[in-house]
């Protein structure tokens, strides 16, 4: 099964934001979650996910923090910030409007 | 499969990720975070049951080169600083053309850190090339290029009067000619003269020592523009002919050595021989007189006294004993002065035919006196070391090319992702510049040590030695050499990138070096081999000359011979006293244990000091001015036996030959061959001195073997020996057949006879011989060292290219072997490739060496610049080295297992 290449702009950011909204997660965990929850439909390599995290952190929507556990490599955990939550809300709304609009034109399933 | 070490993901990310436009600490964090994620991917793959290699592969696919580049670009775009072309090799930004340099340099440094072997070898290459050049430049600059340390040195000339018939004779001027020069020429602002003093004994505070002293006209100091450090120099009034003032000027070093910098030295009197003279001044520390003939003094001049104190002043025009120097009037060229002097010389010859016919007067830049005789050798050395730099550059370029080939994918991806060629070129040149800069830094240290070694081993006669140092000018040169090295060495890979060959290699999907790069590398190796042949030939000529010189017979048995120069005290003044003193010395020394013979001579071989005399031969007439000159020595009867100089015909002197009214002479073989080629000279008569109507004939009683008095590489000139008894010497040079260990006892014996005798120049004869060969040994050793270095570099270059060729052709070789090629065929094929390169280089180098070695003819001795031995051996050595360099990769190629290669493909 080949992962999708034609992901709409802005979508990956929203996915990452919503994943770290639940709780703080580290980079590889985020990539895994996206892969597993999308049933393999969406896949991010370490190298392609990282710029998204970097951008979000630069914008101040998420915040990374090194966490050390004995006997393990330290990992950088990201959690959502207040402005990130606001941005996520706006994005969810925008996506919801978008999906609703499409639904009205080309219904996904017949009721 | 062997156990592999755990993957180092930090290193992996660092290698794949171009420099990021963020603070280094932040960059390190990002790398750590990415590496951590790869580690997790790897561990997870292992946990899924994949083997190590597959797990590594899974993790590596999370971070492909393309993704890594994209990542760095996106981070650049998202970073607040927004330094535009932050990633090496990427187009974009461009507002500040050099804004990416720091990132380029950082990237280059990181590349070097990641490849320590490559880095240290590359830096070593640059350091060797740049360091050796800086060292030699420091020497050549101090000795040749820098103006002499006098006022307006370009205006200073030597005024020389030479024999037209034999211009190679050392030019000397008579006092009367000097007076006329001053009165009758207009080209010169000032003219001064000096005359070497052979021996001056000084007695201060009871100790007797010999000083290097120079008679000089008062004008010498203003001529050179030297001002005394203390007191004053002597004046024209103190230098009047016939009324010399008893004054002297001291050198700084003598003032330090003898008077411990006591400023109260001015006005003190020194006892010199039987007179006392007053110190009027001390010269500055930096002052050296560079106009002396080699051998006229053993070291720095200690004492300057007015020329009028020289007894030769009152002699006629035939007595030529002065060196004359002048300062050109402003606006007068050397050619104008030469024309005026030529006319002056003709006028003198017409006016005083007896003394001046056959002489011509001319000018020469004063700097020629100082450094003329070392000019060729130093320039050749500078050229040679320049060639070494060329080889180092070629090797470095080769190394960079090989690396660029290994990185061709990375470079191709950059081009594919929009890096401009110019941008890429900049990155590549930056890398070679960084290598050259680090090499230059190491080279500065190398140059420092090389210059110290050179100063230690350079001959004492190397002029301006005290000025040689790694100074700011040397460092400026070092900087230029480093930049040139970086540019030249970076050019090859950059050129490759520019032509886009590396891009093509991506399209092929092959991992091989593009054919063009291989060709370029081969060309560089050809250059290296060619230059090595040239250097090896040049070194070979010098080594051959040196061997010839060592093999030449000095004419006496040096082993087991010691020498000691003496100077009688002023109290021993009459000839009878001098003879008695010498007899006492001889008796005392001969009685010492281990002494087999004692003798004395007026001038020792190889000490650089000789004395000439004109001769007449009974029954032949010579025109005045055309009279032949011969070397003249006085010696004690035992001199020939003690020195081991064979008597070929007749006999040596003995005690009977002491009557000055019935003089005899021993001539050397060279004189016998020149003037009596077909007859027995014994019994014939000659006269010494200029032609007169009433010559005092002297009978030849014997012919002695010729001695190379002036140098092992100079043919012995015709020479006469007379018994010392006719005029006992005031400064006999003792030769004693005894081991060097006896020298202290010999000194003690001399002092016991008369403590007023000054002792100096104590040597063993082999030591003197050794000193005589130093001026040739020194450039030979340097050149041979450089040639060896070149050979090693060329061999390494050849090996590298062939080895890489084999690696790239391993598939082809495997196929050939699968199709039936024998191991021997493969071996021959690879060897042939290596030898083809070597042959091309040898051919070019062979032709080049003929052109280069012609410039060295003055440095050679009894060896032609086209010496067949050298020109056979040098290419042969290169050929053998080429075979050795090709054999290892060839053998490796022949061991290729076709099955492994084909399966692995």
């Amino acid at each position: 099964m080949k992962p999708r290449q034609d992901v709409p702009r802005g979508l990956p950011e929203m996915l990452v934001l919503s994943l770290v909204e639940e709780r703080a997660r580290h980079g590889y965990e985020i990539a895994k979650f996206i892969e597993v929850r999308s049933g393999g439909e969406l896949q991010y390599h370490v190298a392609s996910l990282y710029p998204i995290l970097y951008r979000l952190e630069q914008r101040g929507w998420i915040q990374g923090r090194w966490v050390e556990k004995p006997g393990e490599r330290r990992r950088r955990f990201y959690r959502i910030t207040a402005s990130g939550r606001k941005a996520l809300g706006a994005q969810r709304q925008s996506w919801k409007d978008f999906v609703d609009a499409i639904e009205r034109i080309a219904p996904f399933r017949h009721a | 499969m062997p156990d592999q070490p755990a993957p180092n993901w930090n290193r992996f990310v660092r290698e794949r990720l171009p420099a990021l436009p963020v603070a280094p600490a932040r960059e390190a964090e990002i790398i750590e975070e990415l590496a951590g994620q790869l580690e997790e991917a790897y561990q997870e793959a292992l946990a899924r049951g994949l083997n190590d290699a597959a797990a590594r592969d899974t993790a590596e696919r999370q971070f492909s080169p393309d993704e890594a580049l994209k990542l760095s670009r996106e981070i650049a775009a998202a970073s607040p600083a927004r330094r535009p072309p932050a990633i090496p090799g990427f187009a974009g930004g461009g507002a500040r053309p050099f804004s990416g340099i720091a990132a380029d340099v950082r990237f280059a440094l990181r590349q070097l850190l990641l490849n320590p072997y490559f880095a240290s070898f590359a830096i070593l290459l640059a350091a060797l090339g740049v360091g050796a050049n800086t060292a030699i430049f420091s020497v050549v600059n101090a000795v040749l290029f820098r103006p002499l340390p006098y006022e307006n040195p370009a205006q200073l000339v030597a005024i020389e009067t030479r024999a037209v018939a034999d211009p190679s004779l050392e030019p000397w001027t008579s006092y009367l000619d000097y007076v006329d020069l001053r009165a009758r020429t207009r080209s010169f602002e000032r003219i001064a003269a000096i005359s070497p003093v052979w021996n001056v004994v000084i007695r201060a505070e009871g100790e007797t020592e010999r000083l290097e002293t120079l008679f000089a006209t008062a004008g010498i100091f203003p001529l050179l523009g030297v001002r005394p450090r203390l007191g004053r120099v002597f004046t024209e009034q103190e230098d009047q002919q016939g009324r010399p003032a008893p004054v002297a000027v001291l050198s700084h070093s003598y003032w330090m050595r003898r008077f411990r910098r006591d400023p109260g030295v001015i006005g003190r009197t020194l006892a010199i021989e039987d007179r006392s003279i007053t110190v009027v001044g001390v010269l500055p520390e930096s002052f050296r007189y560079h106009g002396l003939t080699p051998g006229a003094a053993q070291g720095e001049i200690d004492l300057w006294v007015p020329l009028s104190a020289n007894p030769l002043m009152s002699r006629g025009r035939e007595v030529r004993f002065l060196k004359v120097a002048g300062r050109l009037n402003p606006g007068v060229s050397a050619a104008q002065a030469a024309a005026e002097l030529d006319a002056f010389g003709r006028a003198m010859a017409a006016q005083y035919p007896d003394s001046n016919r056959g002489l011509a007067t001319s000018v020469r830049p004063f700097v020629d006196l100082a450094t003329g005789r070392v000019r060729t050798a130093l320039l050749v050395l500078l050229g040679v070391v320049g060639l070494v730099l060329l080889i180092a550059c070629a090797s470095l370029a080769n190394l960079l090319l090989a690396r660029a080939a290994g990185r061709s994918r990375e470079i191709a991806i950059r081009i594919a992702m929009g890096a401009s060629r110019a941008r890429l070129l900049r990155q590549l040149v930056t890398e070679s510049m960084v290598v050259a800069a680090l090499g230059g830094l190491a080279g500065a240290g190398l140059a420092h040590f090389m210059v110290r070694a050179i100063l230690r081993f350079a001959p004492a006669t190397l002029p301006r030695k005290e000025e040689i140092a790694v100074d700011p000018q040397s460092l400026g040169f070092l900087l230029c050499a480093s930049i040139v090295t970086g540019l030249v060495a970076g050019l090859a890979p950059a050129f490759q990138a520019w032509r886009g060959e590396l891009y093509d290699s991506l399209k092929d999907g092959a991992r091989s070096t593009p054919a063009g790069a291989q060709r370029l590398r081969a060309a560089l190796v050809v250059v290296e081999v060619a230059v090595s042949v040239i250097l090896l030939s040049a070194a070979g000529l010098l080594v051959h000359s040196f061997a010839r010189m060592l093999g030449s017979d000095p004419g006496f048995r040096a082993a087991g011979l010691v020498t000691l120069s003496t100077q009688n005290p002023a109290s021993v003044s009459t000839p009878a006293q001098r003879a008695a003193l010498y007899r006492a010395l001889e008796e005392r020394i001969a009685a010492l244990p281990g002494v087999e013979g004692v003798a004395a001579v007026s001038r020792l071989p190889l000490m650089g000091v000789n004395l000439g005399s004109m001769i007449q031969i009974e029954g032949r007439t010579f025109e005045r001015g055309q009279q032949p000159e011969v070397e003249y020595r006085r010696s004690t009867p035992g001199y020939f036996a003690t020195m081991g100089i064979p008597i070929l015909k007749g006999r040596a002197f003995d005690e009977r030959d002491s009557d000055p009214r019935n003089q005899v002479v021993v001539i050397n073989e060279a004189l016998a061959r020149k003037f009596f080629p077909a007859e027995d000279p014994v019994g014939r008569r000659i006269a010494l001195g200029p032609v007169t109507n009433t010559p005092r004939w002297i009978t030849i009683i014997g012919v002695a073997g010729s001695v190379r008095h002036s140098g092992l590489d100079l043919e012995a000139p015709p020479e006469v020996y007379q018994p010392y008894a006719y005029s006992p010497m005031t400064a006999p040079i003792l030769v004693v057949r005894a081991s060097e260990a006896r020298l202290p006892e010999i000194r003690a014996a001399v002092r016991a006879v008369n403590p007023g005798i000054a002792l100096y120049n104590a040597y063993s004869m082999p030591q003197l011989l050794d000193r005589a060969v130093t001026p040739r040994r020194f450039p030979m050793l340097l050149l041979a060292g450089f040639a060896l270095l070149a050979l090693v570099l060329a061999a390494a270059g050849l090996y590298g290219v062939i080895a890489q060729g084999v690696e790239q052709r391993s598939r082809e070789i495997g196929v050939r072997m699968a199709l039936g090629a024998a191991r021997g065929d493969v071996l021959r094929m690879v060897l042939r490739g290596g030898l083809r390169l070597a042959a091309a280089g040898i051919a070019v180098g062979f032709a080049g060496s003929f052109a280069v070695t012609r410039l060295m003819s003055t440095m050679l001795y009894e060896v032609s610049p086209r010496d067949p031995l050298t020109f056979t051996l040098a290419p042969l050595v290169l050929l053998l080295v080429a075979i050795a360099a090709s054999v290892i990769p060839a053998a490796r190629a022949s061991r290729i297992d076709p099955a492994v290669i084909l399966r692995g493909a």
Side-chain angles (χ1 to χ4, degrees):
Chain A
M1 179 180 51
K2 231 172 130 55
R4 305 185 64 96
Q5 300 293 318
D6 50 349
V7 181
R9 262 180 79 84
L11 182 62
E13 280 82 355
M14 192 183 73
L15 298 180
V16 171
L17 279 175
S18 60
L19 280 175
V20 298
E21 190 193 16
E22 301 168 16
R23 62 181 181 84
R25 298 182 197 274
H26 59 89
Y28 192 66
E29 189 186 354
I30 297 170
K32 278 280 128 187
F33 261 92
I34 293 178
E35 187 182 339
V36 170
R37 286 201 183 164
S38 71
E41 195 77 6
L42 295 174
Q43 276 187 24
Y44 286 94
H45 279 164
V46 167
S48 41
L49 180 70
Y50 187 78
I52 302 168
L53 295 171
Y54 187 83
R55 260 200 310 275
L56 291 176
E57 191 173 16
Q58 284 294 336
R59 282 183 210 155
W61 289 355
I62 59 175
Q63 194 178 25
R65 195 163 56 90
W66 288 101
V67 174
E68 277 176 84
K69 282 188 195 158
E72 270 181 39
R73 253 175 183 284
R74 63 176 188 157
R75 288 165 164 160
R76 197 163 155 90
F77 279 77
Y78 294 91
R79 60 175 184 76
I80 198 159
T81 62
S83 60
R85 235 180 267 282
K86 228 194 286 178
L88 178 61
Q91 281 190 10
R92 277 206 175 112
Q93 190 55 49
S94 150
W95 273 101
K96 193 169 176 301
D97 294 349
F98 181 64
V99 171
D100 288 350
I102 292 172
E103 177 70 33
R104 284 194 292 275
I105 302 161
F108 292 130
R109 52 187 106 69
H110 296 280
Chain B
M1 193 182 207
D3 266 1
Q4 281 203 323
N8 181 343
W9 296 111
N10 253 27
R11 188 192 153 103
F12 173 79
V13 172
R14 224 167 234 295
E15 253 173 77
R16 235 172 223 193
L17 188 64
L20 300 176
V22 297
R26 179 75 180 106
E27 188 182 40
E29 263 195 339
I30 292 174
I31 288 169
E32 185 186 349
E33 186 178 352
L34 289 166
Q37 296 187 28
L38 294 183
E39 173 73 24
E40 269 180 76
Y42 167 73
Q43 293 297 346
E44 192 186 84
L46 285 178
R48 277 207 311 266
L50 293 181
N51 68 21
D52 183 73
R56 271 170 206 262
D57 200 47
T58 308
E60 281 180 19
R61 266 191 279 117
Q62 293 273 337
F63 203 78
S64 75
D66 316 37
E67 286 173 321
L69 285 162
K70 219 168 130 192
L71 182 153
S72 66
R73 194 169 58 167
E74 288 185 21
I75 285 182
S79 293
R82 297 201 50 103
R83 279 180 282 177
I87 308 140
F90 275 90
R96 286 169 294 166
F98 294 104
S99 54
I101 290 278
D104 277 2
V105 169
R106 212 142 27 96
F107 184 71
L109 280 173
R110 192 200 294 163
Q111 290 290 333
L112 290 179
L113 273 178
L114 288 171
N115 298 278
Y117 291 114
F118 161 79
S120 35
F121 192 55
I123 290 168
L124 180 71
L125 275 177
L128 281 175
V130 171
N133 271 272
T134 304
I136 297 298
F137 172 83
S138 301
V139 173
V140 177
N141 184 43
V143 177
L144 289 189
F145 296 162
R146 203 175 294 150
L148 288 175
Y150 306 131
E151 204 172 283
N152 293 330
Q155 291 180 336
L156 289 176
V157 291
I159 302 173
E160 297 183 333
T161 303
R162 285 178 184 272
V164 179
D166 190 355
S168 69
L169 287 178
E170 189 61 39
W172 296 100
T173 304
S174 70
Y175 178 68
L176 292 175
D177 282 356
Y178 161 74
V179 170
D180 283 326
L181 257 176
R182 286 186 61 163
R184 290 158 68 167
T185 58
R186 297 278 163 274
S187 298
F188 304 97
E189 193 179 295
R190 196 183 281 279
I191 297 178
I194 58 135
S195 130
V197 181
W198 306 115
N199 297 299
V200 167
V201 165
I202 196 150
R203 204 185 314 219
E205 281 101 50
E207 207 179 315
T208 305
E209 76 176 310
R210 177 182 174 275
L211 297 183
E212 295 291 351
T213 307
L214 212 54
F215 288 116
T217 59
I220 193 77
F221 302 108
L223 175 77
L224 300 175
V226 56
R227 281 168 200 81
R229 146 144 200 190
L230 223 59
R232 60 177 179 86
V233 295
F234 43 80
T235 62
E236 299 273 354
Q237 283 68 42
E238 289 166 325
D239 186 25
Q240 299 284 319
Q241 187 182 6
R243 289 181 287 115
V247 292
V249 174
L250 306 184
S251 75
H252 190 274
S253 69
Y254 183 62
W255 176 54
M256 251 174 50
R257 193 165 80 226
R258 195 61 189 248
F259 298 99
R260 301 177 198 290
R261 294 171 176 272
D262 175 11
V265 71
I266 304 298
R268 276 176 67 175
T269 56
L270 304 175
I272 292 197
E273 296 179 345
D274 50 349
R275 301 174 297 130
S276 65
I277 57 173
T278 306
V279 176
V280 295
V282 174
L283 293 173
E285 187 169 7
S286 61
F287 179 75
R288 299 282 188 288
Y289 186 66
H290 292 295
L292 283 180
T293 47
Q298 300 295 334
E300 202 190 332
I301 300 299
D302 298 314
L303 198 67
W304 296 73
V305 296
L307 180 68
S308 52
N310 188 331
L312 295 178
M313 287 271 284
S314 55
R315 305 282 288 275
R317 261 179 221 280
E318 312 70 47
V319 180
R320 304 203 297 274
F321 64 103
L322 292 176
K323 292 281 177 195
V324 184
R327 180 179 290 283
L328 294 173
N329 266 321
V332 174
S333 72
Q336 287 166 328
E340 187 187 22
L341 286 178
D342 190 53
F344 166 81
R346 287 170 199 283
M348 297 294 284
Q351 197 173 346
Y352 307 106
D354 284 357
S355 54
N356 287 47
R357 195 191 301 156
L359 298 179
T361 307
S362 178
V363 286
R364 195 150 73 105
F366 189 81
V367 66
D368 265 18
L369 295 184
T371 58
R373 72 211 142 78
V374 295
R375 174 169 284 268
T376 309
L378 286 182
L379 289 180
V380 164
L381 267 181
L382 193 63
V384 158
V385 82
L387 290 178
V388 170
L389 184 62
L390 182 66
I391 290 201
C393 281
S395 303
L396 193 56
N398 237 332
L399 208 59
L400 291 171
L401 263 181
R403 245 180 64 76
R407 282 165 58 194
S408 59
R409 247 186 95 78
E410 170 208 327
I411 290 168
I413 288 169
R414 290 185 182 181
I415 293 177
M417 295 195 62
S420 73
R421 292 253 161 94
R423 189 67 193 75
L424 198 60
L425 206 118
R426 195 173 99 188
Q427 171 60 27
L428 288 171
V429 173
T430 303
E431 277 190 47
S432 75
M433 290 299 265
V434 167
V435 168
L438 293 172
L441 225 55
L446 191 71
H448 174 74
F449 285 110
M450 269 190 74
V451 163
R452 272 179 40 179
I454 287 173
L455 284 178
R456 185 139 172 226
F457 294 109
T461 51
L462 180 67
R464 308 182 75 182
K465 210 174 156 182
E466 68 285 347
E467 292 177 52
I468 297 171
V470 178
D471 55 14
Q473 280 176 18
S474 311
L475 294 179
F477 176 88
L478 178 116
L479 189 68
C480 294
S482 305
I483 291 172
V484 167
T485 303
L487 282 178
V488 169
L491 224 54
F495 177 68
Q496 213 62 48
W498 188 258
R499 294 213 320 200
E501 295 212 5
L502 297 168
Y503 176 51
D504 295 343
S505 78
L506 177 72
K507 286 194 299 202
D508 296 345
R511 302 194 79 180
S512 71
T513 325
Q518 188 69 14
R519 266 202 308 278
L520 194 55
R521 293 198 61 191
L524 287 170
V525 166
V526 169
V527 170
E528 288 180 48
V529 172
V531 175
S532 301
V533 171
I534 294 176
L535 292 186
L536 215 56
S537 305
L541 288 178
L542 290 192
V543 171
H544 196 182
S545 295
F546 192 73
R548 274 293 173 86
M549 180 168 68
L550 287 187
S552 65
D553 179 9
F556 59 91
R557 273 192 300 125
L561 202 58
V562 295
T563 175
L564 192 59
S565 297
T566 67
Q567 167 88 29
N568 292 347
S571 57
V572 180
S573 54
T574 68
Q577 284 173 326
R578 279 179 276 175
L581 180 62
Y582 174 72
R583 270 196 302 275
L585 278 180
E586 194 181 277
E587 259 169 45
R588 188 93 185 209
I589 296 169
L592 290 173
V595 169
E596 290 166 34
V598 187
V601 68
S602 54
R603 300 274 179 258
L604 199 69
L606 302 176
M607 290 278 278
V609 181
N610 297 295
L611 198 67
S613 170
M614 293 191 251
I615 72 163
Q616 296 179 74
I617 296 167
E618 196 176 27
R620 294 181 211 185
T621 46
F622 294 102
E623 283 287 307
R624 285 199 81 140
Q626 307 293 318
Q627 226 186 322
E629 279 208 45
V630 298
E631 291 271 303
Y632 177 83
R633 277 180 166 70
R634 271 177 291 156
S635 73
T636 60
Y639 180 68
F640 301 100
T642 307
M643 287 288 282
I645 301 170
I647 297 295
L648 305 171
K649 273 184 190 138
R651 62 174 180 89
F653 320 125
D654 57 32
E655 296 302 335
R656 292 168 297 174
D657 303 311
S658 55
D659 181 1
R661 285 161 305 175
N662 186 20
Q663 291 200 2
V664 297
V665 69
V666 169
I667 63 171
N668 73 348
E669 200 187 356
L671 194 151
R673 215 178 278 152
K674 185 165 178 191
F675 297 111
F676 306 99
E679 45 201 311
D680 185 353
V682 175
R684 300 286 306 267
R685 298 203 300 172
I686 61 169
L688 298 171
V691 171
T692 60
N693 294 326
T694 53
R696 259 176 71 181
W697 295 114
I698 307 171
T699 309
I700 299 173
I701 56 165
V703 178
S706 295
V707 171
R708 292 175 190 257
H709 282 118
S710 318
L712 284 180
D713 48 355
L714 295 171
E715 278 302 316
E719 183 176 25
V720 299
Y721 294 90
Q722 282 212 289
Y724 95 114
Y726 302 157
S727 165
M729 300 163 265
T730 55
I733 299 172
L734 304 178
V735 289
V736 182
R737 192 150 283 287
S739 86
E740 201 182 339
R742 300 273 166 220
L743 263 174
E745 293 153 47
I746 298 170
R747 279 170 176 280
V750 173
R751 253 180 261 118
V753 171
N754 186 331
I757 297 176
L759 291 175
Y760 58 98
N761 287 351
Y763 296 107
S764 77
M765 266 300 173
Q767 224 177 323
L768 266 189
L769 277 181
D770 190 65
R771 212 178 60 161
V773 302
T774 318
R776 276 187 184 277
R777 179 165 49 205
F778 176 63
M780 176 198 72
L781 284 180
L782 276 177
L783 221 165
F786 290 144
L788 213 64
L789 180 63
L791 193 64
V792 170
L793 291 180
L798 201 58
Y799 171 82
V801 166
I802 294 168
Q804 203 193 17
V806 165
E807 198 176 307
Q808 277 166 17
R809 288 168 67 190
S810 55
R811 249 181 83 102
E812 174 205 328
I813 292 169
V815 170
R816 276 170 193 264
M817 291 177 80
L819 293 177
R823 288 184 190 284
D825 298 334
V826 172
L827 195 76
R828 270 192 295 279
M829 181 182 81
V830 176
L831 265 179
R832 226 181 1 251
L835 291 187
R836 238 199 326 265
L837 282 186
I842 289 171
V844 173
F846 192 69
S849 14
F850 274 110
V852 170
T853 53
R854 259 189 327 131
L855 306 173
M856 296 173 54
S857 50
T858 56
M859 295 171 73
L860 304 181
Y861 168 66
E862 284 191 353
V863 168
S864 144
R866 308 191 158 194
D867 179 37
L869 182 67
T870 303
F871 281 92
T872 314
L873 277 182
L876 203 64
V877 167
L878 255 297
L879 197 67
L880 289 177
V881 166
I883 291 174
S886 315
V887 151
I888 301 168
R892 196 180 309 141
S894 73
R895 280 197 303 272
I896 285 175
D897 183 347
V900 169
I901 289 291
L902 296 180
R903 222 184 299 122

